[in-house]
Amino acid sequence: MYFWKKIKVMKVICRIKEKELLTQIKEDKKPSFLAVYGPRRVGKTFLIKEYFNNKFTFYTTGIANSNTKAQLINFSIALNQSLGKEQEVPKNWIEAFLQLKKLLEKTKGKKTLFIDELPWFDTKKSNFISGLEWFWNSWASSQENITLIVCGSSASWMINKLIANRGGLHNRVTNRMKIEPFTLAETEQFLESKNIKLDRYQIANLYMVMGGIPYYLEQISKGMSATQNIEKICFEQDGLLKNEFNYIFSSLFNQAEMHEKIIRNIFILGARATREQLLKQLNTTSSGELSKKIRELEESGFIKSYIPFGANKTKLIYVISDYYTLFFLKFIENSKNINWLEKSSNAEVVSWNGLAFEQLCWDHISNIKKALGIAGIYSETSVWNKKGDAQNKGAQIDLIVDRKDRIINLFEIKFSINEYEITKSYDASLRNKIDAFKKFTKTKKTIFLTMITTFGLIKNQYYGSVASNEITLNDLFID
């Protein structure tokens, strides 16, 4: 109960749009079929339970890594609790949903059903989807005052088997709700609700380790720095994130070994890779199966894909976008009595800080556009990398915003503990990047170089020499 009481304060502050949708569904007399999905530990179940005050006409949750018989017994127990009398365990899912239908026919008023971890019910050859399809199409969809809420952490299953179903459940889901991790601003609100007073640099450090996942953020202790909290949560033997990675994939995917293998190989390739690089690294020609696994990893929030500037969709670059996964593979997995307090300032960590801060900027691109005053201008976001040749030096640009008003913003992203200094040599390097980009892309648009730093730039003789705009960490906290 302690966990729920603490997190409830945070939920009151955040999830505004989600609560507005739930209110609309609750007040609507028409039948509603709501699918709730999102990354693990993001607070899907608690949001629904908290909003409805744990009062459901019928509630059940699937059992992880179980068989059809156990799932039917589990469903039957939930039915018996709702009915208040014993019933025989159904032989199959049609019979199970028939029993649920009979229960609901005897219930007056608004009926709210919540089936949590729906994908876990869909065991091999169980025909669970057929049972759910029969229940909704033959009866529930024609009833007034009925709301069916289904939830699952396996986003790939929720999308492919339910929302994008091509069979009897095609277009039957009336509402969908994707629960996203908290933004930096929401993370700040959450910590303030717990009376944890950290500055934005400390919050960014925590975010780059665990992202905006509420369950992870719940582990942060008052009166400790970001470094101390990371040591406690990630490296101490009983820390929540010490071994979390070992349970993630098996709880979300069937044949999870391949999903984990893809993630690990992207990491080996520098935390970003093309499709061709992955095929070669995995030593496989099964591109169709690889595409399926990559799509499932994207839908579940582990990786993101970006189209390089000027390229088509066949040249996608895949990056590890889950902060904890990247941090685990980089530091936690092979740590032996590591002291993060001592290690946090070495070169390896500084390099990781840069990579994680780039991802943080990508995840808050809407904030960056607001800060630049271009939120209302249509734009496309991309990356660019080009090897040099005999005539021209190459360059890499990790964030590009190509605008409809014929401006291209090239972003240079730097994470540091103080104001960042543009030196003479760095100024020359920046000019080379712009020059290389113009030459190789042959763009006729105006180029603006935008610096993104934690605390801004030192105002020396090179300040404003090449950079047209400046964004700081504070801008990423714009609500």
Side-chain angles (χ1 to χ4, degrees), residues 272-325:
R272 59 185 66 197
T274 64
R275 179 187 185 80
E276 290 73 20
Q277 287 174 322
L278 275 175
L279 284 169
K280 183 178 180 180
Q281 185 75 17
L282 293 165
N283 193 26
T284 180
T285 57
S286 180
S287 58
E289 186 64 20
L290 178 64
S291 295
K292 178 183 177 183
K293 302 300 184 187
I294 286 176
R295 185 171 62 252
E296 290 174 347
L297 285 167
E298 280 197 86
E299 289 165 349
S300 299
F302 289 100
I303 63 176
K304 287 185 179 179
S305 60
Y306 303 123
I307 303 174
F309 183 87
N312 57 41
K313 292 183 179 180
T314 62
K315 302 297 182 181
L316 285 172
I317 295 175
Y318 299 100
V319 303
I320 297 176
S321 57
D322 182 75
Y323 296 90
Y324 167 67
T325 295

Side-chain angles (χ1 to χ4, degrees), residues 121-132:
F121 283 106
D122 188 31
T123 53
K124 190 175 182 179
K125 296 181 180 180
S126 67
N127 290 321
F128 173 77
I129 285 290
S130 297
L132 180 63

